[in-house]
Amino acid sequence: MSDFLLLLYPVTIVSILVAGARKHKTDDFLRSAWSLEQGKALQVFAALMVILHHMAQTVTNYGAVRKGPITLWNSFGILFTSVFFFFSGFGLFKSYRTKDHYLKGFLMRRLPKLLVPYFLTNILYVALFSLFSKTSVHGFWQVCARILGYPLLNGNAWFIVEIIFLYIAFYLCFRWSKSERLSIALLAGITLLLVVFALLLGHGSSEGGRRWFMGEWWYNSTLIFIMGVLFAKNEDRLKAALFRCRKWLLPVSILLLVGWYFFEQFMQGRFGYYQEWQGHPGYLEKFLTLPAQVIFCALFVFVLLLINLRIEFKNPVLTFLGSISLEVYLIHELFRRLLPGGVGGSMPDFLYIGHVYILSVISAWILSKVDGFLLKDRRHSRGEHT
């Protein structure tokens, strides 16, 4: 019974998303769907589900110990990460299309919003792990390296590292080329090269921290970033076409997603990313598994977009969490590792997961205030007022 009680967490997360939701009117769906506000709402949903994915990994020892239906969340993290990649690509291209001189000062405007919370949380991880964890950090240069994130003491910060690379690639491709098609092609090529590079690196040792671009989580949902760019480029046409087919397209897409889940799980079990041993890096297995996962992610995002064509997500909780979602994502690993939960831990699973969520949200709110102060102070020092 206690294992089934854990289902309250995904139910609560879905409830947070759909509370106050309303149907789009036929005359305003083109404007409301896939907007910045809706993207934020779906990213809040994704962030909360990513945390649940990590908690499921802990309480089930990555699926080795069955804990009822929540065990399935070991396989779902990639889906919610793909939501972040999609709306990152979608938002970048849409802003480029709609805002005058968007690329002027782009890196100086966008990167600090990622780097300030990244460095601040890295400092917290170094300090608190040194005090309360076996993962201690000694020496000036080692402390500096961990604050920079190489290797990552907070393994979840991989997304920040990678999205910064993609931001820079986006800027260079669109800054130097006057053709949108060529810019997108170059960006897609660079993204694909990044995926192949990470795949060829294989898995690094997690002892002492995560190495950059080592591990399938660095690349198995990255190509959804390009999907976001392409959807933004063709947004109006796609919305109109999908809306006309809405009555049959959504149920068919959901059925296809469920069916593809079983195929993706088969590919993971038959091939997977961990077929590595001396003299056998497992490249063939990785290249066979990757397309199945990319399509799985694309189908999931597509279903969310179809739902958002008809339903608008909006409530005060989503608005509040949307303002601190990055900090929540970056800080939750601290509590996941410091609290005495998981297999062999002294804290019951239900309380363990609840404490991680509560402490993460409270800490993220405090961190967001510090981040806001530092970013505001930086803007004032540079003479910026917007």
Side-chain angles (χ1 to χ4, degrees):
M1 179 59 76
S2 61
D3 292 344
F4 281 90
L5 193 61
L6 297 178
L7 282 176
L8 284 174
Y9 287 107
V11 169
T12 299
I13 294 169
V14 172
S15 299
I16 289 172
L17 177 66
V18 303
R22 68 179 182 88
K23 276 192 172 184
H24 289 298
K25 296 177 181 178
T26 55
D27 59 351
D28 72 356
F29 81 94
L30 283 173
R31 175 181 54 82
S32 302
W34 312 351
S35 64
L36 175 62
E37 181 185 58
Q38 294 302 288
K40 274 282 188 182
L42 290 171
Q43 287 178 81
V44 168
F45 168 72
L48 296 176
M49 283 296 193
V50 164
I51 295 174
L52 188 61
H53 162 69
H54 292 151
M55 300 310 299
Q57 290 179 322
T58 302
V59 302
T60 67
N61 191 22
Y62 296 86
V65 180
R66 304 295 297 181
K67 291 291 181 73
I70 204 70
T71 309
L72 292 172
W73 262 255
N74 281 280
S75 303
F76 293 163
I78 184 175
L79 299 179
F80 306 114
T81 305
S82 66
V83 175
F84 291 120
F85 275 119
F86 177 87
F87 281 105
S88 294
F90 187 92
L92 283 177
F93 188 85
K94 188 170 182 177
S95 295
Y96 167 77
R97 267 272 185 93
T98 58
K99 296 180 180 180
D100 293 335
H101 310 296
Y102 179 65
L103 294 180
K104 184 178 181 181
F106 172 81
L107 296 179
M108 293 298 294
R109 187 173 64 251
R110 295 299 297 263
L111 295 191
K113 295 178 182 179
L114 296 172
L115 289 172
V116 168
Y118 172 77
F119 287 133
L120 186 59
T121 51
N122 282 352
I123 292 170
L124 283 175
Y125 277 81
V126 169
L128 294 176
F129 280 169
S130 295
L131 289 173
F132 303 112
S133 171
K134 296 178 181 178
T135 312
S136 58
V137 181
H138 303 288
F140 175 78
W141 292 114
Q142 190 180 38
V143 169
C144 291
R146 296 304 176 84
I147 291 174
L148 291 174
Y150 193 85
L152 291 168
L153 200 55
N154 173 15
N156 299 326
W158 70 266
F159 179 81
I160 306 302
V161 174
E162 184 160 317
I163 206 67
I164 286 173
F165 274 85
L166 292 175
Y167 276 10
I168 294 171
F170 177 88
Y171 172 77
L172 294 177
C173 290
F174 283 84
R175 180 71 176 84
W176 290 346
S177 175
K178 294 182 179 180
S179 165
E180 276 188 2
R181 287 187 177 183
L182 179 59
S183 298
I184 293 173
L186 288 172
L187 182 61
I190 291 171
T191 306
L192 183 60
L193 286 175
L194 181 65
V195 168
V196 173
F197 170 73
L199 184 150
L200 295 177
L201 283 179
H203 293 89
S205 171
S206 61
E207 185 177 346
R210 296 289 185 182
R211 303 291 175 179
W212 285 11
F213 299 104
M214 289 186 174
E216 70 277 6
W217 53 91
W218 282 90
Y219 58 84
N220 56 11
S221 59
T222 304
L223 290 174
I224 305 302
F225 177 80
I226 299 301
M227 177 182 172
V229 172
L230 293 174
F231 266 64
K233 183 180 188 303
N234 302 285
E235 180 180 5
D236 292 340
R237 284 183 295 172
L238 280 170
K239 281 182 176 178
L242 296 177
F243 189 75
R244 286 195 300 268
C245 306
R246 66 191 183 280
K247 291 184 179 180
W248 62 267
L249 189 56
L250 180 57
V252 168
S253 298
I254 292 174
L255 287 174
L256 185 58
L257 173 65
V258 173
W260 199 269
Y261 163 72
F262 292 104
F263 176 71
E264 182 267 344
Q265 288 293 288
F266 166 77
M267 295 297 289
Q268 277 267 53
R270 177 65 179 83
F271 301 104
Y273 297 104
Y274 285 85
Q275 300 293 323
E276 300 172 344
W277 54 84
Q278 187 68 33
H280 181 84
Y283 292 148
L284 177 61
E285 290 85 352
K286 293 178 176 66
F287 275 112
L288 289 172
T289 306
L290 179 61
Q293 290 208 303
V294 172
I295 294 171
F296 187 39
C297 292
L299 286 170
F300 179 73
V301 171
F302 187 65
V303 167
L304 288 182
L305 296 176
L306 288 175
I307 293 172
N308 193 222
L309 275 180
R310 294 300 291 131
I311 300 176
E312 181 181 29
F313 304 108
K314 186 175 183 180
N315 62 62
V317 177
L318 283 175
T319 301
F320 167 68
L321 292 176
S323 67
I324 62 170
S325 58
L326 177 59
E327 286 83 1
V328 169
Y329 172 80
L330 285 173
I331 201 63
H332 78 271
E333 179 72 6
L334 186 68
F335 303 108
R336 185 173 81 96
R337 291 171 63 177
L338 292 182
L339 290 176
V343 177
S346 59
M347 185 177 285
D349 293 339
F350 186 82
L351 292 178
Y352 172 51
I353 296 174
H355 277 76
V356 170
Y357 273 115
I358 292 169
L359 292 172
S360 297
V361 170
I362 294 172
S363 301
W365 178 76
I366 297 171
L367 283 170
S368 71
K369 297 299 181 184
V370 178
D371 293 338
F373 172 79
L374 294 174
L375 289 168
K376 182 179 179 181
D377 185 65
R378 172 190 164 276
R379 288 195 299 268
H380 284 322
S381 68
R382 296 180 68 243
E384 298 176 6
H385 302 287
T386 58

